[in-house]
């Protein structure tokens, strides 16, 4: 039975994403372009996919049929339009594949298994004590096996493993995790150990990718994701792709100066952004040392009690974040800036609320934005969920297909 469609096909706006190509040898690119279009809109009919990808009607018919056969698309019930035959919408099959995400600091390692919709299927965590890189490989390998087993999925249905590490891994290593990580070939060594593709990203980039795939970021091609962790970083999406920079250190906004002759930073400067906006800055405001600090959950308790020292930090963090947002808008002219990371959701929301009114921006005055700042995902396990999004992002990224040539959805 056809169901009544809310909007007719003629007034249903489909935003163009990745365009396809009608060249025969580019079928795998086109399959990814179809998935990108469906993912961004939630569900689309074949006619809408045709408009979004600029491919021919026959090509779309063949591609959709193949994606259904591969278990990546699911057809919904036909929807009656005002004119013509009922059209069947297609959506991603959330059970069409899975991915593992791992996060680790000097005390805790955590792994999550997610499906194509980013929904958590299983989670495993383990206490660690500043592991070396070789020890970390074994910890990661056991976590991967355990979380896949806990999720009751076959290993061949897992696209890969993402690892979220604080900071620019290729430049300075994951600060504070343990000895021997700087320059360590984590991707190659872990991939050989577990028999799955492995991608390492810093936590800010991983969070930005998750926002792009599963959150409000799917509506934007150009945005900045400010990640508040023990330090401060940003993931940059430019023209629909994550931007790493020449040295892999793009988004190191924690070392932008926001205070003249301010608090001393380990980088050698004074007044760095992350000395005011980070979990570490919050702990320092409470008089706690790096190696003997409380937890994000304790910060939430202090927030609920309106602890004077904590509320003082929150107010100062908002003031400095206001300056940083203005700098980011002037530098990148993004569609929006997301604020997320490891802060408990209540604190993240309060911080975003304290930003108003934002400082006047010359960039946004050229074309006023509906919202300049949005709240992203903020939770202690955010890096792991972000990391799990990374293999999915690269698996279905049509623009990056030329580097892999691997059939979409196949290990």
């Amino acid at each position: 039975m056809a169901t009544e469609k809310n909007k007719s096909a003629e007034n249903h706006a489909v935003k163009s994403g990745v365009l396809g190509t009608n060249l025969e040898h580019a079928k795998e690119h086109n399959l990814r372009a179809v998935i990108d279009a469906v993912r961004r809109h939630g569900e689309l009919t074949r006619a809408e996919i045709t408009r979004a990808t600029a491919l021919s009607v026959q090509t779309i018919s063949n591609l959709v049929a193949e994606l259904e056969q591969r278990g990546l698309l699911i057809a919904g019930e036909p929807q009656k339009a005002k004119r013509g035959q009922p059209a069947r919408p297609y959506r991603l099959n959330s059970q069409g594949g899975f991915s593992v995400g791992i996060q680790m600091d000097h005390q805790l390692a955590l792994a999550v298994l997610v499906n194509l919709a980013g929904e958590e299927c299983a989670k495993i965590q383990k206490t660690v004590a500043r592991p070396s890189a070789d020890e970390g490989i074994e910890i990661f390998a056991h976590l991967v096996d355990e979380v896949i087993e806990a999720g009751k999925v076959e290993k061949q249905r897992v696209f890969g493993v993402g690892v979220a590490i604080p900071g620019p891994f290729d430049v300075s290593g994951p600060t504070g995790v343990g000895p021997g990580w700087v320059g360590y070939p984590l991707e190659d060594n872990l991939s050989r150990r577990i028999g799955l593709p492995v991608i390492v990203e810093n936590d800010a980039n991983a969070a930005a990718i998750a926002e792009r795939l599963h959150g409000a970021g799917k509506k934007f091609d150009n945005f900045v994701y400010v990640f508040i962790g023990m330090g401060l970083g940003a993931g940059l999406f430019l023209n629909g792709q994550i931007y790493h920079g020449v040295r892999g250190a793009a988004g190191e906004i924690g070392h932008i100066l926001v205070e003249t002759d301010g608090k001393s930073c380990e980088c050698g400067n004074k007044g760095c952004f992350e000395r005011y906006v980070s979990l570490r800055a919050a702990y320092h405001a409470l008089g706690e040392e790096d190696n003997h600090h409380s937890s994000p959950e304790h910060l939430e308790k202090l927030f609920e009690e309106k602890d004077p020292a904590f509320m003082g930090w929150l107010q100062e963090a908002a003031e400095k974040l206001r300056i940083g947002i203005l700098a980011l808008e002037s530098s990148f002219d993004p569609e929006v800036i997301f604020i997320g990371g490891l802060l408990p959701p209540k604190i993240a929301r309060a911080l975003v609320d304290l930003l108003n009114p934002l400082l006047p921006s010359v960039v946004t005055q050229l074309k006023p934005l509906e919202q300049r700042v949005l709240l992203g995902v903020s939770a202690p396990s955010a890096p792991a969920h972000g990391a799990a999004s990374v293999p999915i992002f690269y698996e279905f990224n049509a623009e990056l297909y030329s580097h892999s040539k691997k059939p979409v959805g196949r290990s």
Side-chain angles (χ1 to χ4, degrees):
M1 176 71 68
T3 57
E4 187 71 29
K5 194 173 183 181
N6 291 332
K7 295 182 180 179
S8 67
E10 54 198 337
N11 64 15
H12 181 76
V14 178
K15 183 178 179 181
S16 295
V18 176
L19 297 183
T21 171
N22 286 298
L23 297 175
E24 181 62 29
H25 68 272
K27 184 178 77 170
E28 291 297 331
H29 171 98
N30 290 340
L31 288 167
R32 285 167 166 82
V34 170
I35 290 174
D36 177 74
V38 174
R39 176 187 59 77
R40 296 188 69 178
H41 291 86
E43 62 176 30
L44 291 176
T45 64
R46 292 187 184 190
E48 291 166 343
I49 297 171
T50 299
R51 292 197 292 274
T53 60
L55 291 167
S56 69
V57 172
Q58 185 58 53
T59 297
I60 289 299
S61 179
N62 294 338
L63 292 174
V64 167
E66 181 155 349
L67 289 170
E68 276 193 283
Q69 190 273 328
R70 294 190 190 184
L72 296 174
L73 288 186
I74 293 178
E77 290 297 319
Q79 296 178 336
K80 186 182 296 183
K82 290 183 178 179
R83 295 186 300 177
Q85 294 297 316
R88 189 182 295 273
Y90 292 85
R91 67 181 187 277
L92 281 185
N93 177 11
S94 64
Q95 303 303 305
F98 301 86
S99 177
V100 174
I102 298 175
Q103 71 181 73
M104 186 170 73
D105 58 24
H106 64 288
Q107 294 178 318
L108 182 71
L110 185 149
V112 297
L113 178 76
V114 305
N115 62 23
L116 285 187
E119 298 164 338
E120 183 181 298
C121 303
K123 179 166 69 174
I124 301 288
Q125 66 181 45
K126 181 175 297 187
T127 301
V128 299
R130 295 186 61 81
S132 68
D134 288 333
E135 291 169 340
I137 288 290
E138 292 305 310
I139 292 170
F140 289 163
H142 288 300
L143 284 173
V144 170
D145 289 341
E146 290 172 19
V147 80
I148 291 175
E149 182 179 358
K152 296 181 172 58
V153 302
E154 298 172 346
K155 193 171 184 178
Q156 58 264 34
R157 299 186 65 203
V158 177
F159 294 130
V161 175
V163 181
I165 297 290
F169 181 78
D170 292 334
V171 177
S172 61
T175 304
V177 172
W181 288 87
V182 177
Y184 186 79
L186 177 55
E187 289 183 348
D188 291 341
N189 288 359
L190 182 56
S191 182
R192 282 195 296 268
R193 175 67 175 78
I194 64 176
L196 288 170
V198 175
I199 304 174
V200 176
E201 274 287 7
N202 69 53
D203 46 14
N205 284 346
I209 288 172
E211 195 68 49
R212 167 73 170 178
L213 283 184
H214 308 302
K218 67 175 61 176
K219 298 188 297 184
F220 306 107
D221 287 329
N222 298 277
F223 66 84
V224 178
Y225 190 106
V226 176
F227 187 92
I228 303 172
M230 284 301 290
L232 184 69
L236 309 176
F237 255 91
L238 305 179
N239 298 322
Q241 300 297 327
I242 195 74
Y243 179 71
H244 293 95
V246 174
R247 303 169 187 83
E252 279 300 293
I253 64 170
H255 299 286
I256 293 175
L257 301 185
V258 294
E259 177 77 21
T260 302
D261 199 29
K263 298 176 182 178
S264 296
C265 181
E266 291 172 348
C267 74
N269 289 318
K270 293 184 177 181
C272 287
F273 203 175
E274 69 177 37
R275 294 295 288 116
Y276 302 90
V277 185
S278 65
L279 288 178
R280 187 184 181 195
Y283 297 142
H284 282 193
L286 298 171
E288 300 176 1
E289 298 299 325
D290 287 344
N291 296 326
H292 299 91
H293 59 69
S294 58
S295 64
E297 291 77 16
H298 181 60
L299 295 183
E300 185 170 23
K301 183 173 182 292
L302 295 176
F303 171 71
E304 291 172 348
E305 295 172 350
K306 304 300 180 187
D307 178 83
F310 179 77
M311 299 307 292
W313 167 78
L314 191 63
Q315 186 64 51
E316 183 179 46
E319 292 171 1
K320 295 299 188 287
L321 191 52
R322 236 182 253 118
I323 297 171
I325 287 171
L326 181 61
L328 290 169
E329 287 179 335
S330 299
S331 299
F332 298 105
D333 189 18
E335 295 171 87
V336 72
I337 293 176
F338 289 97
I339 308 293
L342 300 181
L343 285 174
K346 288 182 182 178
I347 299 176
R349 166 52 65 191
L351 180 60
V352 170
D353 289 343
L354 284 171
L355 294 176
N356 294 312
L358 291 165
L359 296 174
S361 168
V362 172
V363 172
T364 57
Q365 286 174 7
L366 296 173
K367 184 180 180 181
L369 301 175
E370 183 177 342
Q371 284 184 290
R372 292 165 60 184
V373 176
L374 292 174
L375 185 64
V377 174
S378 193
S381 61
H385 283 89
S389 300
V390 173
I392 296 173
F393 175 73
Y394 285 101
E395 174 72 21
F396 297 115
N397 193 312
E399 296 297 321
L400 299 178
Y401 164 66
S402 60
H403 298 293
S404 68
K405 299 298 182 185
K406 185 173 79 69
V408 64
R410 294 175 179 172
S411 301

